[in-house]
Amino acid sequence: MFDLFSILKWLKDHELASTWADVSGFLIAIFGFAATLWNVRSSKNAAIKAQEAAQAARDSIRRFDTIVDFSTAIAVLEDIKRAHRENGLSTGLPERYATIRKQLIVLRASSADLPEEHRTVIQNAIANLSTMETQIDKAIAGKSELPVAKFNSLLSRDIDKLVDILIGLKADQEKQP
């Protein structure tokens, strides 16, 4: 171990310290500077961890919102199928189609982390809804019949694919810490 007197003698010889107070001040300054550096590094690491935790929370909320949006879209599509069966052709149908189509467009655009195959499913559902809305408008104008069975078959297929995506999203959400 260091011989404290030899250190003091060296400091005095080099005119760095003349008393024990000078030595203790010198040592306090060195240890204080080292402690400051240690605390700065710890603070930086804590800030990085806090930033990562905040990002993880934002990602979790975004995934949860996506799950809710998918669930809502599926429920609305089921409601439209029910309306086809119960009411057949009604003047409120085009508006419902337009509303769910817009919701799916927003869902596709706002869910940046969805794989391309999921985006394709959403795009196909949007295209089907657009085509059906056009046919409903023609039927309301009296220019054609409403093919309820065909529409419900297409809606059922789209719903099934959206449910598959929803199940995958829920499973991914459960895996996240």
Side-chain angles (χ1 to χ4, degrees):
M1 181 140 180
F2 293 106
D3 179 13
L4 210 46
F5 290 109
S6 62
I7 293 173
L8 180 59
K9 182 175 179 337
W10 183 85
L11 289 172
K12 283 183 180 183
D13 291 343
H14 290 87
E15 296 180 2
L16 296 173
S18 58
T19 66
W20 281 108
D22 291 341
V23 172
S24 63
F26 181 72
L27 293 174
I28 289 171
I30 290 175
F31 287 119
F33 185 69
T36 300
L37 291 178
W38 175 265
N39 287 333
V40 166
R41 183 179 172 144
S42 296
S43 296
K44 180 181 176 186
N45 289 339
I48 290 170
K49 287 180 182 180
Q51 185 178 17
E52 290 171 352
Q55 183 62 42
R58 282 191 295 274
D59 291 345
S60 179
I61 290 169
R62 193 176 310 115
R63 281 190 300 271
F64 181 75
D65 285 345
T66 301
I67 288 170
V68 169
D69 290 343
F70 266 99
S71 297
T72 302
I74 291 166
V76 170
L77 290 171
E78 290 286 354
D79 190 45
I80 290 173
K81 276 179 39 180
R82 197 171 15 267
H84 286 163
R85 289 185 187 116
E86 294 172 0
N87 306 329
L89 185 61
S90 72
T91 56
L93 274 177
E95 183 179 323
R96 292 170 93 177
Y97 272 87
T99 300
I100 187 61
R101 198 177 73 248
K102 288 174 194 169
Q103 185 178 3
L104 288 173
I105 290 169
V106 169
L107 181 62
R108 182 191 63 201
S110 65
S111 303
D113 56 345
L114 283 178
E116 191 58 37
E117 62 196 39
H118 292 172
R119 291 179 184 284
T120 301
V121 167
I122 295 170
Q123 181 57 42
N124 289 339
I126 293 167
N128 288 339
L129 289 167
S130 180
T131 301
M132 287 186 260
E133 183 181 357
T134 301
Q135 289 180 352
I136 288 172
D137 285 335
K138 288 179 183 177
I140 289 173
K143 297 179 181 176
S144 69
E145 291 292 316
L146 181 68
V148 172
K150 178 182 175 186
F151 281 14
N152 281 355
S153 174
L154 286 171
L155 288 172
S156 291
R157 189 184 68 212
D158 289 340
I159 289 168
D160 290 346
K161 290 178 180 180
L162 292 172
V163 167
D164 285 341
I165 294 172
L166 178 62
I167 290 169
L169 290 172
K170 285 181 177 180
D172 288 346
Q173 180 73 9
E174 291 173 1
K175 290 177 187 175
Q176 300 299 319

